[in-house]
Amino acid sequence: MDEPFAEFREVSVTDPLRQGDVLEAVASEATMWQRHLLVVTADCDFAHAKHQGRVTCVPMLTADEYLSEMQIPKLREQLAKQQVRELRQILSKSAAPIITERRLREWPNEQEPVDIVSMLNLQPAEGKRAQAALEAIRMMEMQADSLKGSMRLFVEAQLIGVNPPKRENAVKRVKEKLREPYAQPPGDALFLTAIGPGQDSGYFAYLRHIEQVWEPAISLGPARQNFSYRRISRMQDRFTHALVQKFAMVFMSIGLPDQYEDLRDLHADYLGDDLT
């Protein structure tokens, strides 16, 4: 009979600390960045004490934490940009002053959309559309207390905005965007179904955030007094290698200037403008 699949394996208290070990914070109040850590310090560094007792780790966030922290802001940006684009088009046809995209994002959080529309002196039909866009932007900027709460806000915001989609399409857009990191993870994260016994609700290893733990503060078995972390498992070799390879690639990449990226995006925006 086949063994049930798991990305991790259990280790004995006699096994030395090694790359791929999963650590759990002893303190219940540990932040999400410190609650569960994956050791990335190389085995040869442990063997030859090159790490000077400092164990380098990356956090393993719950799926909800990762999506809320890393993906929700991106989705908010995409959805809001669509409404801002509609709003700027409305304003371009009126005598309203030129207003920056940033200001259009901030304004509905400071004043009621109906008051903003009144100040802009728009025609009734255009004013109604502008108010819808402002209401949608305002709703997208609201902070929810959970991932599902954010998803619901994004669905409802699409439905009250300009050119609203059908509800099923609004739901589909939100769900599909948040499902992407599972099958097509970005270069700085990887999804894991489980990281230890009883820890099987889904996690993302996030490779841009680094934590260092003092090795004497790590218990290799059940946590005792004066320890900050306990080892709970070790990732299977294939997953350890994949994670460490992605970790290396994150810090090998060469960033390009913001000006280049702005001009690149401008060229992309102009593409096809002359099509009829």
Side-chain angles (χ1 to χ4, degrees):
M1 185 174 178
D2 292 338
E3 289 286 328
F5 171 78
E7 295 100 330
F8 70 91
R9 62 186 176 88
E10 297 188 45
V11 285
S12 166
V13 295
T14 60
D15 291 331
L17 190 67
R18 287 293 180 261
Q19 187 178 79
D21 283 358
V22 178
L23 311 180
E24 183 177 65
V26 173
S28 59
E29 66 273 15
T31 70
M32 67 179 183
W33 303 107
Q34 299 169 325
R35 189 185 309 119
H36 290 106
L37 302 177
L38 175 77
V39 174
V40 295
T41 297
D43 288 351
C44 63
D45 288 351
F46 282 120
H48 300 289
K50 294 180 180 179
H51 63 309
Q52 301 296 316
R54 296 176 178 85
V55 181
T56 301
C57 308
V58 294
M60 307 181 87
L61 311 178
T62 67
D64 278 14
E65 288 170 342
Y66 171 79
L67 294 173
S68 295
E69 187 76 16
M70 303 299 168
Q71 300 302 321
I72 284 293
K74 294 179 183 178
L75 181 53
R76 178 183 292 114
E77 191 69 25
Q78 292 176 7
L79 296 175
K81 187 172 286 188
Q82 181 179 344
Q83 294 300 315
V84 168
R85 190 181 303 120
E86 296 285 354
L87 192 52
R88 294 188 75 171
Q89 188 173 20
I90 293 168
L91 297 178
S92 69
K93 298 176 183 178
S94 71
I98 297 175
I99 305 172
T100 66
E101 182 173 320
R102 179 178 177 180
R103 184 59 189 147
L104 289 175
R105 288 283 299 276
E106 294 172 346
W107 204 358
N109 297 308
E110 300 168 2
Q111 288 183 269
E112 292 292 334
V114 65
D115 295 333
I116 296 173
V117 170
S118 178
M119 292 170 61
L120 293 172
N121 293 317
L122 299 173
Q123 294 296 319
E126 294 303 293
K128 185 176 180 180
R129 284 167 53 81
Q131 184 172 338
L134 290 164
E135 294 280 8
I137 293 169
R138 185 180 194 178
M139 182 173 287
M140 290 171 195
E141 296 292 344
M142 292 180 181
Q143 297 299 314
D145 59 2
S146 66
L147 176 65
K148 285 187 177 180
S150 294
M151 294 173 71
R152 291 192 183 98
L153 282 175
F154 289 169
V155 169
E156 296 304 321
Q158 291 180 79
L159 298 179
I160 66 172
V162 180
N163 299 323
K166 293 181 179 178
R167 174 174 285 274
E168 62 190 60
N169 291 333
V171 171
K172 182 179 179 182
R173 184 176 184 184
V174 171
K175 290 171 70 173
E176 285 186 349
K177 204 63 187 175
L178 294 177
R179 284 173 174 169
E180 282 180 10
Y182 287 86
Q184 298 177 314
D188 58 8
L190 184 68
F191 176 73
L192 300 163
T193 60
I195 60 173
Q199 309 283 356
D200 57 359
S201 58
Y203 296 80
F204 278 88
Y206 183 60
L207 308 175
R208 289 191 187 277
H209 184 102
I210 298 174
E211 292 281 339
Q212 284 201 321
V213 180
W214 187 238
E215 187 171 359
I218 301 171
S219 171
L220 300 184
R224 300 186 184 93
Q225 194 173 7
N226 299 325
F227 285 99
S228 300
Y229 283 89
R230 55 177 168 259
R231 180 176 62 185
I232 61 172
S233 69
R234 178 174 293 166
M235 301 306 295
Q236 300 281 7
D237 288 348
R238 176 171 293 185
F239 291 95
T240 296
H241 296 157
L243 284 161
V244 173
Q245 182 185 54
K246 285 172 75 73
F247 174 77
M249 292 301 293
V250 166
F251 294 99
M252 285 175 60
S253 62
I254 299 173
L256 296 172
D258 290 343
Q259 295 91 331
Y260 159 78
E261 295 185 354
D262 291 342
L263 288 171
R264 176 201 63 194
D265 293 344
L266 186 62
H267 279 268
D269 289 342
Y270 281 146
L271 180 65
D273 273 4
D274 56 347
L275 295 178
T276 58

